């Protein structure tokens, strides 16, 4: 490749001696004033009739006159307007042949179509530029870009291109045509930025969610089906065996913003001193029979997904948060597992029944913890639950259970469509008394259900986890709390499932386990409900082990995808939160472990955020260091912490 300087270029213009570069601008301006396509059409009419070819000089004399400016103007017309003439002989003095009338008409029609397409594209491009220039609050709403087929097709193609899910070559072509017209790079990331500027995507668009194809809304069919359930409820097939437990005081304990209340707890001390606990579980199958349209949709979704920006429920909220949910003060259908515990914490006996309850208290974890610390005489049942939960936990630890819980960030973004949404951060400590109380009772319920399924020979999604040898001396050398929990996670065995008999769950320290307490949120639990309730009615389970296994293969796949979405969304907002803090803000961090490269994984204790520090620190696991944010780019999942 060679570079040529402007002064090394010699311009040759026929009829002009010693043409200078300084004259070029004046020359081209004069040429442009002469260009008129109607003159070309006039010349063509004469020449096609005479069946005569022409060159640029001859055409110039016909249209303008004699001279170098006129020659070049004629040459430009012949080169740019190829409707009327075809280049017959190329070269320094090219010869042009007038096209026949039929060919000219065809080319005119084609040009007319192309001109109309260019005008449409130009209109769309101008619309985009106008939207991009507007402040965020004044941008057109997303449905503006669906106002006509032309705009809709190109916007949808841009969207598919941005998400890297173009379904056809035409979609890619349309998207790249728009990007080229805007003179910007043909890259998916550029298309994302463009769609944000257009107002199609919010500033903090969840790309992973859009790429996943997970439905975020319910179609009219499902909403109508929900309304029909509310107005014309199906028969309660377990009405005859439903036990009235409305006399029990029932506590429901969940996160403050939870709308789907799946479980509640009751307790009493028996005359022999043992504690009896009732775990009440929501009974959505009372409202949605197997193979109902809503059951099929719940199976397809497999799980509710909880993102910082809001929940994507498994059932329409018109049902999930009303008749299905264990609402305070409302008489509600439930499935109840009653358990009598040995003083050691193991299960002495248990019973499974359909029930009717009336939840007494709706508590958040903070409310429950506050009550536990107050020692209010009227809440003796809550203290019994706390007492048995602590004993139960000690028993499980003695059976080899592994406690791998670490404080986690809880993030809520109430206004995600805003260009700068609020980010509400808190820390969830799963080792707190209230959290452990609920956890222990849910595990006990899962153990009792596994025993019930084994006794009744029911095919259920039995969950297990293989045991692994843990080097006790190495683990004891690590400080208790989050550091030890992180270390123990490396020794969690492979998760497994059985569909005929319970299998040992080493991590929980029990001999069998079935997830049963979240049927509004998890399809695996709902599937277990269908099986168990049939047996309680005296009928055989509706589904074979092969069917249960096939369904769980899909459910587990969908659940993994949901966990990935929850993790990526939480991570995005964690980084966005840190990005917004004043530069140089210091954070206290606990060193959890070291990577092979020597970089520590730390826990920002007041935020519950785990991240790597990109400097090698000379300190031990369990030490506290001070860090600051060096760079934070949430869209790229990029966070750099540096030790201060």
């Amino acid at each position: 490749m060679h570079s040529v300087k402007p002064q090394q270029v010699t311009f040759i213009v026929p009829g002009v001696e010693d043409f200078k570069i300084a004259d070029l601008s004046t020359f081209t301006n004069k040429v442009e004033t002469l260009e008129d396509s109607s003159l070309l059409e006039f010349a063509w009419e004469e020449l096609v009739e005479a069946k005569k070819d022409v060159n640029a000089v001859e055409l110039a004399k016909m249209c303008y006159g004699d001279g170098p400016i006129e020659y070049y103007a004629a040459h430009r017309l012949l080169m740019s307007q190829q409707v009327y003439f075809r280049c017959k002989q190329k070269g320094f003095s090219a010869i042009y042949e007038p096209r026949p009338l039929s060919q000219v008409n065809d080319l005119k029609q084609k040009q007319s179509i192309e001109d109309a397409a260019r005008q449409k594209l130009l209109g769309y491009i101008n619309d985009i530029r106008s939207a991009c220039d507007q402040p965020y609050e004044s941008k057109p709403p997303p449905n503006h870009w669906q106002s006509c087929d032309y705009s809709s097709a190109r916007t949808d193609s841009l969207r598919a291109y941005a998400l890297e899910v173009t379904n056809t070559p035409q979609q890619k072509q349309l998207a790249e045509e728009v990007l080229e017209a805007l003179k910007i790079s043909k890259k998916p990331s550029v298309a994302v930025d463009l769609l944000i500027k257009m107002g199609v995507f919010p500033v903090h668009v969840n790309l992973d969610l859009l790429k996943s194809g997970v439905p975020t809304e319910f179609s009219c069919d499902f909403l109508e089906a929900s309304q029909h359930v509310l107005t014309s409820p199906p028969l309660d097939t377990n009405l005859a065996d439903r036990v009235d437990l409305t006399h029990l005081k029932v506590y429901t304990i969940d996160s403050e913003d939870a709308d789907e209340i799946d479980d509640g707890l009751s307790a009493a001390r028996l005359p022999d001193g043992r504690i009896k606990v009732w775990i009440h579980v929501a009974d959505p199958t009372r409202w949605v029979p197997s193979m109902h349209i809503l059951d099929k949709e719940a199976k397809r979704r497999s799980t509710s997904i909880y993102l910082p920006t809001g929940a994507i429920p498994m059932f329409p909220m018109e049902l999930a948060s009303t008749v299905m949910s264990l609402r305070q003060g409302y008489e509600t259908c439930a499935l109840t597992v009653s358990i009598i515990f040995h003083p050691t914490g193991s299960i002495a006996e248990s019973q499974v029944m359909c029930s009717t309850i009336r939840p007494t208290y709706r508590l958040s974890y903070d409310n429950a913890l506050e009550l536990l610390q107050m020692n209010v005489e009227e809440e003796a049942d809550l203290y019994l639950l706390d007492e048995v939960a602590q004993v139960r936990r000690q028993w499980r630890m003695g059976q080899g259970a592994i406690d791998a819980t670490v404080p986690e960030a809880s993030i809520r973004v109430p206004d995600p469509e805003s260009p700068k949404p609020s980010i509400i951060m808190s820390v969830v400590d799963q080792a707190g008394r209230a959290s452990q109380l609920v956890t222990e009772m849910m595990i006990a319920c899962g153990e009792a259900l596994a025993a019930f399924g084994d006794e009744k020979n029911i095919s259920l999604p039995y969950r297990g986890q293989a045991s692994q040898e843990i080097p006790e001396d190495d683990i004891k050398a690590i400080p208790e709390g989050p550091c030890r929990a992180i270390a123990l996670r490396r020794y969690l065995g492979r998760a497994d499932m059985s569909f005929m008999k319970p299998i040992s769950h080493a991590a929980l320290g029990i001999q069998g386990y079935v997830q049963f307490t979240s049927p509004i949120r998890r399809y695996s639990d709902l599937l277990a409900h269908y099986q168990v309730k049939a047996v309680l009615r005296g009928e055989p389970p509706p589904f074979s082990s092969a069917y249960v296994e096939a369904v769980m293969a899909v459910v587990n796949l969908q659940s993994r995808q949901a966990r990935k979405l929850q993790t990526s969304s939480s991570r995005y907002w964690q980084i966005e939160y840190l990005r917004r803090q004043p530069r140089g803000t210091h954070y206290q961090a606990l060193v959890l472990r070291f990577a092979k490269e020597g970089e520590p994984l730390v826990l920002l204790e007041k935020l519950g955020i785990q991240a790597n520090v990109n400097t090698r620190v000379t300190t031990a696991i369990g030490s506290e260091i001070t860090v600051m944010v060096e760079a934070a780019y949430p869209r790229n999942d990029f966070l750099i912490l540096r030790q201060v």
Side-chain angles (χ1 to χ4, degrees), residues 527-580:
L527 183 61
H529 277 228
Y530 284 125
Q531 297 285 81
V532 168
K533 284 183 66 180
V535 172
L536 292 176
R537 290 194 300 270
E539 300 172 4
F543 305 121
S544 67
S545 61
Y547 179 87
V548 173
E549 184 173 2
V551 169
M552 287 306 301
V554 175
V555 167
N556 288 335
L557 191 66
Q558 294 290 90
S559 298
R560 280 195 292 272
Q561 182 186 49
R563 285 193 295 273
K564 285 181 181 178
L565 288 174
Q566 287 165 180
T567 300
S568 66
S569 182
S570 180
R571 172 77 174 172
Y572 176 95
W573 289 105
Q574 288 173 17
I575 298 175
E576 174 63 13
Y577 178 87
L578 292 171
R579 186 190 69 81
R580 293 186 188 183

Side-chain angles (χ1 to χ4, degrees), residues 93 132 143 169 180 195 325 413 463 494 509 531 540 590 597 608 620:
S93 181
C132 291
N143 61 8
E180 186 175 345
L195 289 164
S325 199
V413 183
R463 295 178 182 271
R494 184 176 60 87
Q531 297 285 81
L590 177 69
E597 297 78 14

Side-chain angles (χ1 to χ4, degrees), residues 262-263 281 314 515-523 525-526:
D262 281 296
D263 51 75
V281 182
M314 188 173 80
Q515 285 186 334
F516 194 75
T517 58
S518 296
I520 307 177
R521 319 180 198 200
R522 289 192 304 241
Y523 194 81
D525 301 43
L526 191 76

Side-chain angles (χ1 to χ4, degrees), residues 44 48 98-108:
W44 169 78
V48 75
R99 295 183 186 274
L101 177 61
S102 60
Q103 199 174 96
V104 168
N105 287 337
D106 289 345
L107 289 171
K108 277 186 174 181

Side-chain angles (χ1 to χ4, degrees), residues 84-148:
Y84 298 101
F85 291 90
R86 180 183 70 85
C87 185
K88 185 177 180 180
Q89 179 183 320
K90 297 180 180 180
F92 184 74
S93 181
I95 304 297
Y96 293 88
E97 174 186 37
R99 295 183 186 274
L101 177 61
S102 60
Q103 199 174 96
V104 168
N105 287 337
D106 289 345
L107 289 171
K108 277 186 174 181
Q109 185 178 9
K110 181 182 177 184
Q111 190 176 59
S112 175
I113 292 170
E114 289 173 352
D115 288 345
R118 274 192 293 271
Q119 286 303 312
K120 272 192 169 184
L121 179 60
L122 182 61
Y124 180 67
I125 295 300
N126 288 338
D127 203 11
I128 289 176
R129 287 188 172 129
S130 174
C132 291
D133 290 340
Q134 297 294 323
Y136 189 84
E137 60 275 7
S138 302
K139 291 185 186 296
N143 61 8
H144 165 81
W145 304 100
Q146 304 294 324
S147 56
C148 68

